Amino acid sequence: MEKCRDAVAIESIPSMSQASSSSHAASTYEVRKLDKSEYKQAGLCLAQAFKDDDVAMYFIKTGDRPKWTPEDEWNLHLHIMECLAYAHCLKGSAFVIGPNYDCVALWYFPTSFLIDYETKQDRLPPGGNIDGFCTLLRSGLMRLNFKLSKEGKKRFFTEFIPLLHNTKHEVLGEDDDDSWYLVYIGTKPDSRGKGYARALIEHVTKLADRDNRTSYLECSNPMNLKLYGRLGFKFVKKICLNRGEKPVEMDIMTRPSMTAQLAGKTVGFGARDITK
């Protein structure tokens, strides 16, 4: 098995729209929170966006199901994305933009966050992220233990999830529970280049700036690094998944609040120097 080069880092799951200097299309539509009744449309958007993503396919194209067809793989991929979308919809941390569910973003929110938009009464409960037992049960994510192959379960539950969890805690330290975490963002292939991804990210980074919080993401598509950079994210480190025939890399990025950026902070998250 080939080893990841300089594997001292982590990124996570997202793959997003291609960069564009024009935001005309995005400015035509408002960012809105997804209702749980819309999870299938949101899941389809994410499945289409991530159909060729190495991380998304890492648990599906495992080589130990020789009789599986491309349709079988697509159905499992779609199921995973629908479950993720539903889990985030339940907790009020899924957002969409565009006339036809063109771009969807799934976030973890700070545990103490009180959101103040739309009705101004929309509370995201402390500790209410999607990894609660009831949310995992209702969303169908727990059924992955039966739907993934033997190798797929090892990759997902014993390699991928611990790697993401441990890396995020390592990078953010004491701010781990008090940051905005972009879990997934995906744009339909025929809707890219319209500024949708930028609009969804800026919708939340404005909230993060308001409350002086850090934003965190993992990027599985190198083409998106420049766009993230233009939105204030800085590269921290790279991580690898190593159980496949070739390593799958992810880039970890963080964005200090605007207050911290204006103050010229390069050290954040406790005493950690994130530039190293």
Side-chain angles (χ1 to χ4, degrees):
M1 182 183 300
E2 184 183 354
K3 287 294 181 182
C4 177
R5 61 183 184 277
D6 298 326
V8 293
I10 169 171
E11 173 231 33
S12 177
I13 328 175
S15 171
M16 61 197 276
S17 70
Q18 298 169 348
S20 171
S21 59
S22 172
S23 60
H24 175 72
S27 65
T28 305
Y29 302 97
E30 292 186 358
V31 173
R32 64 179 182 85
K33 190 173 65 173
L34 281 162
D35 182 77
K36 64 182 180 181
S37 64
E38 302 174 284
Y39 79 94
K40 282 190 174 292
Q41 295 94 322
L44 179 60
C45 169
L46 291 172
Q48 291 176 343
F50 285 90
K51 65 182 178 66
D52 297 317
D53 182 79
D54 289 340
V55 173
M57 293 295 109
Y58 186 69
F59 325 107
I60 298 173
K61 297 181 180 294
T62 53
D64 57 343
R65 280 178 167 169
K67 295 184 179 180
W68 261 44
T69 65
E71 182 180 3
D72 293 326
E73 294 175 346
W74 168 257
N75 288 336
L76 178 55
H77 173 56
L78 179 60
H79 172 75
I80 293 172
M81 294 301 171
E82 287 181 348
C83 289
L84 286 167
Y86 190 71
H88 284 82
C89 288
L90 287 175
K91 294 303 180 181
S93 56
F95 300 92
V96 66
I97 190 172
N100 190 33
Y101 300 90
D102 295 272
C103 186
V104 170
L106 308 180
W107 291 83
Y108 273 8
F109 46 79
T111 54
S112 59
F113 182 68
L114 177 61
I115 197 165
D116 185 26
Y117 79 113
E118 292 180 350
T119 65
K120 298 187 178 180
Q121 297 177 353
D122 191 6
R123 184 177 176 84
L124 300 178
N129 282 315
I130 72 160
D131 47 359
F133 178 79
C134 291
T135 303
L136 291 174
L137 187 64
R138 291 176 64 189
S139 69
L141 281 171
M142 290 187 68
R143 291 199 294 272
L144 289 181
N145 196 46
F146 306 100
K147 288 183 172 290
L148 292 171
S149 70
K150 183 178 180 179
E151 173 62 21
K153 285 187 285 188
K154 290 180 179 179
R155 294 184 183 189
F156 189 82
F157 292 109
T158 68
E159 183 187 19
F160 179 68
I161 295 300
L163 178 60
L164 297 190
H165 174 81
N166 294 338
T167 302
K168 183 170 177 283
H169 182 69
E170 173 194 340
V171 170
L172 295 178
E174 61 186 19
D175 291 334
D176 190 7
D177 292 332
D178 234 8
S179 61
W180 280 94
Y181 174 24
L182 179 56
V183 182
Y184 271 97
I185 183 167
T187 306
K188 290 180 177 179
D190 59 356
S191 299
R192 292 172 180 167
K194 299 180 181 180
Y196 290 138
R198 172 186 288 272
L200 281 183
I201 293 174
E202 288 182 335
H203 177 75
V204 168
T205 55
K206 288 177 181 178
L207 298 175
D209 288 341
R210 183 192 69 185
D211 297 333
N212 197 26
R213 299 187 190 278
T214 298
S215 302
Y216 177 97
L217 64 82
E218 303 121 344
C219 175
S220 57
N221 187 345
M223 293 181 63
N224 295 328
L225 295 177
K226 288 185 178 180
L227 176 55
Y228 289 132
R230 286 196 292 269
L231 295 174
F233 286 87
K234 306 295 184 183
F235 172 79
V236 179
K237 61 188 302 183
K238 189 180 293 289
I239 58 167
C240 283
L241 301 167
N242 285 311
R243 288 189 63 92
E245 293 183 359
K246 61 179 182 179
V248 175
E249 298 181 346
M250 297 178 285
D251 296 299
I252 299 299
M253 304 185 78
T254 58
R255 179 188 182 276
S257 68
M258 188 57 65
T259 299
Q261 291 187 53
L262 292 175
K265 278 192 174 182
T266 58
V267 178
F269 323 121
R272 290 166 173 79
D273 184 350
I274 65 171
T275 64
K276 293 183 179 180

